[in-house]
């Protein structure tokens, strides 16, 4: 049975609904609108439609009866079905309805102010309006119920009586399991057909549990023990609120398939307690189970509306409700989005965030590339960049105590993160730490004082070379660490930085190493110098320092992070003996190699196999990074 149309009169019936007509209603009727718009009130009217003999439909008396009629008929003949004469009497007495002609499809307006017309299905089943709303997430405990009580609860749901769904939900599951167990036992007092049905019902219930609850349904140990879902008994205390709602949906879906019905189902805000993906899966299964019926939904769920509008459009009647009135919105879905999302601005926010995440990422990164770099504070726990530094120190520097210059120390992240994994005593005995940054920061000084004692910062934290040489002799450091620093230095200063009188060269021992660590998929854009930023990978660094990778003493050592940071976080240890090889020519060659690498990365992202791959937030971010890298390098080369 499907309601084809509804007409609500101008008569005020106390629920605030205004006059409206809903025409040519399809298999799915979707009511959307803001709070207080009348969705629930209209759903309540639909819920009050009750069973009417199919003989009424045979006479083309296409009138569905409201709750007043139901009450009248129940008093007159509680058991039903009702005769045509009784129905006519109910219409006249309870609704004061004037019937023009028993064979006429048109009816006069009734006191309740609504007319619904429809057609019976080929089976001639009775009309049913079924409110399928999970009103309680408190599931009844059936552990103390008798077998008879459990069977009664099962049969109530099996007969599509879902009024006390939460009370009989577990009884239903338990009965399906027990029937399957009985059917599987040799010599069971069941016909072959009943055995097949019982086993197939259990299989379908398992499939639904797996599809919606992502769990495996198993039999309990004893005949009347609790059924098991993913190793845990199915009972109220073991399930979350969301799972309790989904379990009730599973039971309804299973029952509808077990007894296919000609049902008008109403769902009032079914998104409560449910994840959008689970909700959409459940709606899809519900539609399949109720092939001859109709589904009425009132909702605020944008994902659900979007799914139905796109995937079920041919079967969808979309109505927008506002101030008690219902208007067809199938050709104007923007009415609904504007209402539910709160105007054009919020729609733009959602479109940017959801529709094209890659575009959002690209736009954010590009905007950040006009801003100064931010300072990375010390991290808690594992830090892949600091791990790369420690690995290179262990591999490339000998001696029980290593003297380290943290060049561009910032907030003291290197020393601070070491303190997370090592004791202060161990750090003091193995690391002779000095911080250098042209913008001194208080937090860095605090960390130094915590490790090396109060006032230690005066001899371990400097903002210029002249100040540092008063406390530390030139060429006295085993390692200079530059973590996320080189990309912030203009290529026009590289020759000065790595030259014989540059900061790095003057600090390092002849057998010392420069440790460069960079993030090769920077999560934020920045404009660190006039050309933005430039990150050099292994091949470009080898070209910059004219490294001979075949020579042990002139080789650049690589440390690369693993796991989710693989290919992203890399550290390079560069021997001090290579600094005198840096020239204008090696700088240009390094830039050209970096430019070619950026171009290759851009093409790889653009040639991604699927649209979903391209639209990922991370893909947009990576694409924007490499585009900026390519543009920045080209600007440098054009100016060189």
């Amino acid at each position: 049975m499907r309601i084809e149309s509804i007409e609500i009169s101008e008569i005020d019936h106390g629920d605030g609904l205004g006059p409206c007509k809903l025409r040519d209603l399809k298999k799915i009727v979707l009511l959307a609108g803001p709070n207080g718009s009348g969705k629930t009130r209209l759903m309540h009217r639909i819920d009050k439609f009750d069973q009417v003999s199919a003989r009424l439909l045979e006479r083309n008396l296409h009138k569905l009866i409201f709750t007043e009629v139901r009450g009248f008929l129940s008093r007159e003949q509680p058991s039903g079905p009702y005769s045509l004469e009784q129905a006519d009497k109910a219409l006249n007495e309870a609704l004061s309805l004037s019937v023009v002609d028993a064979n006429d499809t048109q009816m006069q307006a009734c006191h309740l102010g609504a007319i619904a017309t429809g057609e019976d299905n080929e089976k001639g089943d009775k009309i049913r309006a079924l409110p399928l709303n999970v009103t309680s997430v408190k599931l009844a405990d059936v552990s103390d119920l008798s077998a008879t009580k459990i069977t009664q609860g099962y049969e109530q749901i099996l007969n599509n009586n879902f009024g006390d769904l939460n009370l009989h939900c577990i009884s239903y599951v338990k009965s399906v399991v027990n029937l399957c167990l009985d059917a599987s036992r040799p010599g069971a007092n069941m016909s072959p057909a009943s055995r097949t049905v019982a086993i197939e019902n259990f299989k379908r219930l398992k499939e639904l549990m797996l599809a919606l609850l992502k769990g495996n349904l198993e039999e309990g140990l004893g005949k009347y023990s609790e059924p098991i879902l993913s190793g845990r008994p199915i009972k109220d205390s073991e399930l979350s609120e969301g799972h309790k709602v989904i379990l009730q949906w599973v039971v309804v879906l299973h029952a509808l398939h077990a007894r296919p019905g000609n049902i008008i189902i109403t769902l009032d805000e079914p998104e409560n307690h449910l994840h959008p993906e689970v909700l959409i899966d459940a709606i899809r299964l519900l539609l399949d189970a109720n092939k001859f019926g109709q589904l009425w939904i009132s909702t605020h769920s944008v994902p659900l509306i979007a799914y139905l509008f796109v995937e079920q459009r041919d079967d969808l009647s979309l109505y927008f409700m506002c101030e008690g009135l219902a208007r067809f919105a199938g050709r104007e879905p923007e009415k609904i989005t504007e209402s539910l999302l709160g105007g054009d601005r919020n729609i733009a926010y959602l479109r940017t965030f959801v529709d094209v995440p890659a575009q959002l990422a690209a736009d954010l990164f590009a905007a950040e590339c006009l801003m100064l770099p931010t300072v990375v504070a010390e991290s808690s726990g594992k830090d892949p960049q600091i791990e790369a530094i420690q690995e290179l120190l262990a591999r490339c520097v000998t001696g029980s105590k290593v003297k380290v210059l943290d060049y561009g120390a910032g907030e003291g992240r290197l020393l601070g993160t070491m303190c997370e994994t090592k004791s202060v005593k161990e750090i003091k005995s193995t690391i002779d730490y000095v911080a250098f940054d042209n913008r001194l920061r208080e937090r860095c000084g605090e960390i130094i004082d915590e490790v090396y004692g109060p006032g230690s910062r005066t001899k371990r934290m400097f903002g210029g070379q002249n100040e540092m040489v008063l406390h530390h002799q030139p060429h006295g450091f085993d390692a200079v660490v530059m973590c996320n620093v080189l990309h912030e230095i203009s290529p026009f200063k590289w020759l000065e930085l790595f030259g014989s009188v540059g900061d790095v060269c003057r600090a390092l021992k002849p057998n010392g190493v420069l440790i460069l660590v960079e993030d090769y998929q920077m999560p934020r854009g920045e404009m660190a110098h006039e050309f933005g930023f430039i990150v050099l990978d292994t091949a470009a660094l080898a070209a910059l320092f004219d490294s001979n990778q075949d020579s042990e003493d002139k080789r650049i050592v690589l440390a690369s992070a693993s796991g989710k940071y693989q290919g992203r976080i890399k550290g390079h240890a560069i021997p001090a003996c290579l600094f005198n090889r840096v020239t204008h020519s090696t700088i240009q060659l390094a830039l050209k190699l970096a430019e070619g690498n950026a171009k290759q990365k851009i093409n790889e992202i653009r040639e991604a196999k699927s649209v979903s791959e391209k639209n990922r937030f991370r893909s947009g971010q990576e694409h924007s990074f490499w585009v900026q890298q390519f543009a920045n390098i080209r600007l440098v080369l054009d100016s060189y």
Side-chain angles (χ1 to χ4, degrees):
M1 177 66 193
R2 297 180 189 177
I3 300 173
E4 293 181 340
S5 64
I6 288 182
E7 181 175 345
I8 298 178
S9 71
E10 297 183 3
I11 302 174
D12 183 7
H13 300 286
D15 59 5
L17 288 180
C20 58
K21 298 178 182 180
L22 285 70
R23 302 288 192 185
D24 301 320
L25 299 177
K26 299 180 180 178
K27 183 176 182 179
I28 308 164
V29 183
L30 186 63
L31 308 176
N35 288 330
S37 62
K39 301 186 302 297
T40 300
R41 284 168 280 165
L42 180 55
M43 294 292 276
H44 284 170
R45 290 206 184 188
I46 304 301
D47 291 345
K48 292 176 182 178
F49 291 144
D50 203 356
Q51 298 184 12
V52 181
S53 171
R55 291 178 60 192
L56 291 175
L57 297 175
E58 292 171 6
R59 296 274 310 270
N60 293 323
L61 191 60
H62 296 168
K63 180 72 183 179
L64 295 183
I65 314 302
F66 283 112
T67 187
E68 284 82 355
V69 182
R70 178 177 58 192
F72 177 87
L73 296 179
S74 297
R75 289 192 299 274
E76 291 293 312
Q77 187 177 347
S79 59
Y82 316 115
S83 68
L84 179 59
E85 290 73 23
Q86 286 175 312
D88 287 338
K89 181 180 180 181
L91 288 169
N92 286 311
E93 292 187 19
L95 298 179
S96 300
L97 182 68
S98 174
V99 181
V100 176
D101 185 336
N103 292 315
D104 195 340
T105 59
Q106 297 299 317
M107 304 296 298
Q108 302 300 311
C110 66
H111 282 176
L112 286 177
I115 295 176
T117 62
E119 293 181 356
D120 194 13
N121 75 346
E122 59 186 22
K123 295 184 177 181
D125 292 337
K126 294 179 180 180
I127 304 163
R128 294 200 62 189
L130 173 67
L132 183 57
N133 299 314
V134 176
T135 57
S136 175
V137 293
K138 178 68 176 176
L139 302 181
D141 184 4
V142 301
S143 58
D144 297 328
L145 292 182
S146 66
T148 300
K149 289 289 186 183
I150 291 174
T151 300
Q152 288 175 351
Y154 163 73
E155 290 178 347
Q156 183 170 327
I157 292 179
L158 195 64
N159 290 318
N160 298 161
N161 186 347
F162 304 130
D164 297 318
L165 189 57
N166 63 306
L167 299 181
H168 306 303
C169 178
I170 297 179
S171 292
Y172 183 90
V173 175
K174 198 167 186 176
S175 295
V176 171
V177 173
N178 288 339
L179 285 169
C180 179
L181 287 173
D182 288 342
S184 304
R185 291 189 178 94
N189 187 22
M190 300 176 70
S191 68
S194 296
R195 286 188 183 188
T196 300
V197 170
I199 293 172
E200 287 301 315
N201 278 343
F202 177 70
K203 287 181 179 179
R204 286 194 303 100
L205 189 58
K206 278 178 68 80
E207 291 172 358
L208 284 170
M209 292 281 194
L210 185 61
L212 295 181
L213 284 166
K214 312 300 181 185
N216 183 39
L217 177 64
E218 306 170 56
E219 304 91 343
L221 295 177
K223 180 176 179 181
Y224 295 108
S225 63
E226 301 294 338
I228 303 298
L229 182 66
S230 298
R232 303 175 73 89
I234 299 178
K235 56 184 181 180
D236 186 84
S237 60
E238 297 288 341
L239 299 171
S240 68
E241 286 194 0
H243 280 91
K244 294 173 192 176
V245 173
I246 299 168
L247 180 63
Q248 293 179 64
W249 276 68
V250 165
V251 165
V252 170
L253 290 168
H254 188 270
L256 287 174
H257 188 70
R259 296 269 183 94
N262 184 31
I263 303 171
I264 299 166
I265 297 176
T266 63
L267 295 170
D268 190 14
E269 298 184 11
E271 63 268 20
N272 293 337
H273 308 287
L274 292 180
H275 185 279
E277 181 181 9
V278 175
L279 171 61
I280 290 169
D281 286 343
I283 293 291
R284 185 184 294 113
L285 291 170
L286 189 59
L287 290 169
D288 289 340
N290 194 35
K291 291 183 183 297
F292 297 107
Q294 191 175 42
L295 185 60
W296 287 69
I297 306 173
S298 71
T299 184
H300 296 114
S301 172
V302 174
L304 176 58
I305 295 170
Y307 159 72
L308 293 173
F309 189 79
V310 175
E311 294 293 333
Q312 304 285 343
R313 192 166 185 174
D314 291 341
D315 291 324
L316 177 66
S317 295
L318 179 61
Y319 279 84
F320 173 65
M321 293 210 67
C322 184
E323 298 180 352
L325 301 176
R327 297 182 180 87
F328 181 67
R331 296 183 184 87
E332 298 177 290
E334 63 273 9
K335 288 182 180 178
I336 291 173
T337 55
E338 289 171 2
S339 170
L340 296 183
L341 296 177
D344 291 342
R345 179 182 297 180
N346 290 344
I347 292 173
Y349 291 156
L350 183 63
R351 181 179 293 115
T352 302
F353 181 70
V354 176
D355 290 351
V356 193
Q359 185 63 51
L360 170 62
D363 291 346
L364 286 175
F365 194 93
E368 291 162 354
C369 286
L370 299 176
M371 303 176 187
L372 292 174
T374 57
V375 177
V376 180
E378 61 185 293
S379 61
S380 57
K382 284 190 171 185
D383 185 323
Q385 290 191 316
I386 305 304
E387 288 179 345
I389 292 170
Q390 292 177 310
E391 177 187 338
L392 291 172
L393 286 174
R395 290 170 59 185
C396 301
V397 181
T398 58
S400 58
K401 191 170 186 177
V402 180
K403 189 167 185 177
V404 176
L405 177 63
D406 189 1
Y407 193 93
E411 299 278 358
R413 173 186 170 203
L414 173 58
L415 184 60
T417 305
M418 286 182 174
C419 291
E420 296 286 337
T421 57
K422 297 181 179 181
S423 66
V424 169
K425 182 178 179 181
E426 184 181 1
I427 292 174
K428 288 177 68 174
S429 64
T430 58
I431 302 291
D432 186 4
Y433 176 88
V434 177
F436 183 91
D437 201 308
N438 56 10
R439 289 173 289 179
L440 299 178
R441 291 175 173 84
E442 179 64 21
R443 180 54 187 154
C444 183
E446 291 174 355
I447 297 173
I448 291 173
D449 288 348
E450 290 170 6
V451 174
Y452 295 99
S456 296
R457 70 178 74 183
T458 59
K459 297 181 180 180
R460 293 183 177 274
M461 188 172 74
F462 307 99
Q465 277 285 356
N466 294 334
E467 183 185 0
M468 187 170 69
V469 296
L470 295 176
H471 300 278
H472 301 275
Q473 292 294 322
H475 307 294
F477 289 90
D478 296 299
V480 173
V481 175
M482 298 175 68
C483 185
N484 296 328
V485 173
L486 182 59
H487 75 266
E488 296 184 354
I489 300 174
S490 171
F492 283 94
K493 296 182 179 179
W494 288 353
L495 192 59
E496 176 186 340
L497 177 67
F498 300 122
S500 58
V501 294
D503 291 346
V504 176
C505 190
R506 288 177 62 189
L508 277 176
K509 292 179 180 179
N511 62 342
V513 292
L514 167 66
I515 296 178
L516 297 174
V517 177
E518 292 283 359
D519 186 340
Y520 290 87
Q521 293 174 15
M522 290 166 55
R524 289 182 59 88
E526 59 185 55
M527 190 167 186
H529 49 76
E530 69 269 36
F531 300 106
F533 65 83
I534 292 175
V535 181
L536 299 184
D537 206 342
T538 306
L541 286 172
L544 175 64
F545 291 98
D546 192 22
S547 169
N548 184 353
Q549 294 297 91
D550 295 328
S551 175
E552 186 70 30
D553 61 339
K554 295 181 177 61
R555 180 181 301 167
I556 294 177
V557 179
L558 170 66
S560 183
S562 58
K564 67 178 182 178
Y565 293 103
Q566 186 173 7
R568 173 178 168 182
I569 303 299
K570 296 181 184 179
H572 296 87
I574 301 161
C577 63
L578 295 180
F579 288 175
N580 60 2
R581 295 182 173 221
V582 178
T583 65
H584 289 293
S585 296
T586 64
I587 291 173
Q588 286 182 303
L589 179 58
L591 290 170
K592 289 178 180 177
L593 287 174
E595 181 186 36
N597 183 52
K599 183 177 180 180
Q600 179 181 342
K601 296 291 186 182
I602 293 169
N603 288 330
E604 288 175 359
I605 295 170
R606 293 183 177 184
E607 293 169 2
K609 294 180 180 179
S610 67
V611 173
S612 61
E613 265 188 287
K614 293 180 181 178
N615 282 346
R616 289 175 185 163
F617 186 92
R618 191 63 192 166
S619 296
Q621 199 173 56
E622 290 177 18
H623 183 263
S624 190
F625 167 78
W626 290 113
V627 168
Q628 287 293 147
Q629 168 93 336
F630 183 84
N632 294 345
I633 294 171
R634 177 42 47 193
L635 290 173
V636 176
L637 289 172
D638 288 346
S639 303
Y640 218 89

